[in-house]
Amino acid sequence: MRLCRLVAACLLLAFAAPGFAVGTAVDAIDAFHKALREKAADKALGMLAEEAVIYEQGFAEVSRKEWARKQLGTAVMFASDTERRILRREAREVGDMTWVMTTTRTTVDVDGRHSLRLDGAETAVLRRDRGDWKIVHLHWSAHEAPAEGNQQKP
């Protein structure tokens, strides 16, 4: 009986406490990156709002359709060929809007002998739409990570 109460309490906290609920904006961003990594392009596109604006390395696509036409294939190839590690993440929710700021270290094997390490920053803005989170804005930038021993703290 005590075990049943403990399990029930844990489930209640997991689904009721802010930041712990399944289906948070952070979960949506993680699912978007997972879809890209697993080459599930349609799933990734479905997570973007039609009017999503994506900024990347100085380029801008002003709709989901434009991003799909210009960048989706490259994004899927890149994500599936790299290892992305989250270094720091912060999120704030206000009503049906959430922003998520993430810094990452991404590593890609260049030729079997060398790897390239990139330090990246991502800002995502999401809107809750009928219970689901849709990405309305992404801003990505990255640069080559400092050499080992010269690393900056995230």
Side-chain angles (χ1 to χ4, degrees), residues 30-152:
D30 287 342
F32 175 76
H33 284 286
K34 181 179 180 186
L36 291 175
R37 192 172 54 253
E38 293 177 352
K39 299 181 180 180
D42 288 341
K43 184 174 181 179
L45 279 180
M47 302 180 83
L48 294 172
E50 288 184 30
E51 72 279 10
V53 175
I54 295 96
Y55 295 158
E56 183 173 7
Q57 300 297 114
F59 295 95
E61 279 76 44
V62 296
S63 71
R64 174 177 67 192
K65 186 177 182 178
E66 182 183 10
W67 186 75
R69 184 171 43 85
K70 291 182 177 180
Q71 300 294 339
L72 178 60
T74 303
V76 166
M77 281 188 344
F78 182 79
S80 64
D81 288 343
T82 60
E83 180 184 325
R84 180 177 178 265
R85 183 170 49 99
I86 294 172
L87 302 176
R88 182 173 183 265
R89 178 173 272 165
E90 184 177 345
R92 293 288 182 266
E93 185 175 330
V94 178
D96 286 336
M97 300 294 290
T98 297
W99 58 261
V100 181
M101 295 190 317
T102 306
T103 57
T104 59
R105 168 71 48 87
T106 301
T107 307
V108 59
D109 182 23
V110 178
D111 60 9
R113 295 178 310 197
H114 302 93
S115 63
L116 176 64
R117 295 176 318 121
L118 301 171
D119 283 343
E122 172 185 83
T123 302
V125 179
L126 298 93
R127 179 184 66 232
R128 193 178 356 246
D129 182 17
R130 288 171 264 158
D132 291 328
W133 288 102
K134 292 287 187 179
I135 300 166
V136 295
H137 176 63
L138 286 170
H139 191 160
W140 288 315
S141 63
H143 59 87
E144 190 169 353
E148 295 290 334
N150 294 332
Q151 295 179 355
Q152 299 173 355

Side-chain angles (χ1 to χ4, degrees), residues 21-35:
V22 173
T24 67
V26 170
D27 293 337
I29 287 296
D30 287 342
F32 175 76
H33 284 286
K34 181 179 180 186

